[in-house]
Amino acid sequence: MAKLKWGMIGGGEGSQIGPAHRLGAGLDGAFEFAAAALDHRPDEGRAYGQRLGLAADRAYGSWQEMLAGERSREDRIDLVTVATPNATHFEITKAFLEAGFHVLCEKPMTMTVEEGEDIVRIAQATGKICAVNYGYSGYSLVRHMKAMVARGDLGKIRMVKAEFAHGHHADAEDADNPRVRWRYDPAQAGVSAQFADCGIHALHMASFVIGQEAERLSADTVSCIASRELEDDAMVNLRFDGGAVGRLWTSSIAIGRQHGLTLQVFGEKGGLRWAQEQPNQLYWMPLGERLQVIERGEAGLSPEADRTTRVTIGHAEGMPLAFANIYSDLAEAIRADKEGRAMDPAADLYPRAVDGLRSMAAVFAVAESGKADGAWVDARPPMFR
């Protein structure tokens, strides 16, 4: 079977996210890295692309040059990943969708709710995939949690508790560090800092696992380091459209926390607990029974978990492999579209443009509620109200 052709915008030399995408896209052999515009500096981007093995005529100097070059080729890319600074996501994603390309966009998909609604409508009108890289939803046991909830193992879901709290921005002496400062500057980051950066990952994972969307929320936001204009800590209460209650804490000043993404789900018949830093274990407590530890790769798991497990039980699988599961989903979706068939339902789990839109609506709702001393506000995008 011929490989699909994949391209990347952003993620150049020294990028934090670029290598994870290149590892994830290439891991299963479904995609060939065929084209890229890796740097805002044209010469550096072209040179780095060629060092990574790209042909000289497909190592582009800008995304505009890449769009013009790829749209005219018979062997054009099947999928492009957008991993540029946040404020550029909308323009690039829109341009490639309208030119007939499938897109995987890093989060946040857009900077405003209105832009998010535009992307959803464009994806619907073109029939092209617009995925958003909520990559943590690719973990095998996160998908097994979703399967357990969907088949009723927990009964009716009562509450979900999500956290994404770290302490890597806790030093007030870093106030002028440009790698930190921009995150708390409204001119560069928008209306939210920590919730928009990390909180939306926790919210997406909660919605993904329980199969419910945030309907209303109340937020307490604070800048614990006084020089910051935007929040570095937020506590958000949520009400989901299926009746579940949500509690979400996100922080960048939690000294002692490293990554800090965790999820707990409590239903009528049992509870689940998972942490990204120990992704191979899922803790399951059925009502009235003993605590059980579910291991990634063990026998008897769901098709969704089995499909996303590559190495044998007891060996670690980490974030690049979770990204690889998103790319595996997308490869299956693109091949199914090319072949005119239904895709494997166990692979139909990649985050969509609507997820990116709902996240941006939640960002603005958290900012609004935080300024109003925690008033309850509508968390839904206008087009879904």
Side-chain angles (χ1 to χ4, degrees):
M1 182 181 296
K3 290 186 178 183
L4 299 169
K5 290 186 173 7
W6 172 65
M8 188 174 195
I9 302 169
E13 191 166 17
S15 162
Q16 179 182 12
I17 205 69
H21 277 286
R22 288 189 285 275
L23 286 168
L27 189 64
D28 295 316
F31 288 103
E32 171 194 350
F33 186 32
L38 295 169
D39 201 297
H40 68 282
R41 300 163 299 178
D43 290 342
E44 283 82 351
R46 292 189 187 100
Y48 187 51
Q50 290 178 65
R51 290 201 300 275
L52 292 176
L54 295 178
D57 65 337
R58 301 184 85 173
Y60 298 100
S62 69
W63 71 263
Q64 294 93 338
E65 182 183 306
M66 180 171 166
L67 178 61
E70 290 299 310
R71 73 192 307 172
S72 63
R73 297 182 67 106
E74 291 187 5
D75 62 343
R76 60 191 276 173
I77 53 173
D78 296 287
L79 174 71
V80 61
T81 293
V82 178
T84 53
N86 296 353
T88 65
H89 290 178
F90 170 69
E91 180 184 17
I92 300 171
T93 297
K94 179 177 184 289
F96 275 82
L97 285 174
E98 290 179 336
F101 294 92
H102 300 300
V103 178
L104 170 61
C105 183
E106 263 298 334
K107 67 85 195 168
M109 183 178 75
T110 62
M111 294 294 286
T112 70
V113 177
E114 293 76 15
E115 289 175 348
E117 293 189 334
D118 281 350
I119 292 295
V120 169
R121 293 189 182 99
I122 292 166
Q124 291 171 343
T126 61
K128 295 302 174 182
I129 293 167
C130 181
V132 183
N133 191 41
Y134 290 107
Y136 302 114
S137 65
Y139 276 103
S140 176
L141 289 181
V142 171
R143 295 185 169 199
H144 187 61
M145 292 175 80
K146 179 178 179 66
M148 290 180 69
V149 170
R151 70 192 185 195
D153 293 7
L154 283 74
K156 181 178 175 60
I157 301 304
R158 292 170 171 164
M159 180 179 290
V160 57
K161 182 174 183 286
E163 295 182 358
F164 199 155
H166 65 82
H168 300 302
H169 298 164
D171 188 352
E173 298 301 315
D174 270 345
D176 290 325
N177 181 340
R179 293 177 65 89
V180 175
R181 185 180 60 226
W182 75 268
R183 298 175 184 273
Y184 303 93
D185 178 4
Q188 298 181 74
V191 299
S192 170
Q194 180 59 20
F195 186 82
D197 187 28
C198 295
I200 57 174
H201 275 298
L203 178 58
H204 175 264
M205 184 174 287
S207 292
F208 177 79
V209 168
I210 69 172
Q212 299 181 34
E213 301 295 344
E215 194 168 65
R216 296 182 298 128
L217 63 78
S218 167
D220 179 18
T221 60
V222 63
S223 298
C224 292
I225 294 179
S227 62
R228 291 173 175 165
E229 292 187 61
L230 297 176
E231 87 288 349
D232 51 25
D233 189 280
M235 180 67 76
V236 185
N237 292 309
L238 298 139
R239 298 294 184 269
F240 289 89
D241 57 10
V245 172
R247 312 288 189 211
L248 189 156
W249 173 48
T250 187
S251 182
S252 65
I253 52 83
I255 297 173
R257 296 287 292 262
Q258 295 302 324
H259 188 267
L261 178 59
T262 64
L263 187 71
Q264 295 175 270
V265 182
F266 305 102
E268 295 173 322
K269 299 191 293 184
L272 291 166
R273 174 166 55 90
W274 180 85
Q276 194 271 157
E277 291 176 53
Q278 292 84 37
N280 288 330
Q281 288 80 40
L282 171 62
Y283 294 88
W284 163 231
M285 183 74 178
L287 180 65
E289 299 183 30
R290 298 181 65 183
L291 178 67
Q292 301 174 23
V293 181
I294 298 172
E295 293 279 350
R296 184 206 51 77
E298 71 180 35
L301 298 186
S302 61
E304 292 86 346
D306 289 341
R307 185 182 180 278
T308 50
T309 293
R310 291 176 181 77
V311 298
T312 55
I313 189 169
H315 295 81
E317 286 191 7
M319 183 264 281
L321 277 76
F323 278 32
N325 290 332
I326 302 294
Y327 278 100
S328 178
D329 293 347
L330 291 169
E332 167 62 11
I334 293 168
R335 291 195 190 283
D337 180 65
K338 285 175 174 284
E339 296 165 11
R341 60 171 174 83
M343 68 180 295
D344 179 355
D348 194 9
L349 297 174
Y350 63 89
R352 266 78 163 174
V354 292
D355 298 301
L357 168 60
R358 289 185 184 278
S359 293
M360 190 47 56
V363 166
F364 277 82
V366 165
E368 178 186 348
S369 177
K371 289 179 180 177
D373 293 327
W376 284 89
V377 299
D378 199 321
R380 299 169 298 175
M383 70 185 300
F384 294 149
R385 295 180 185 176

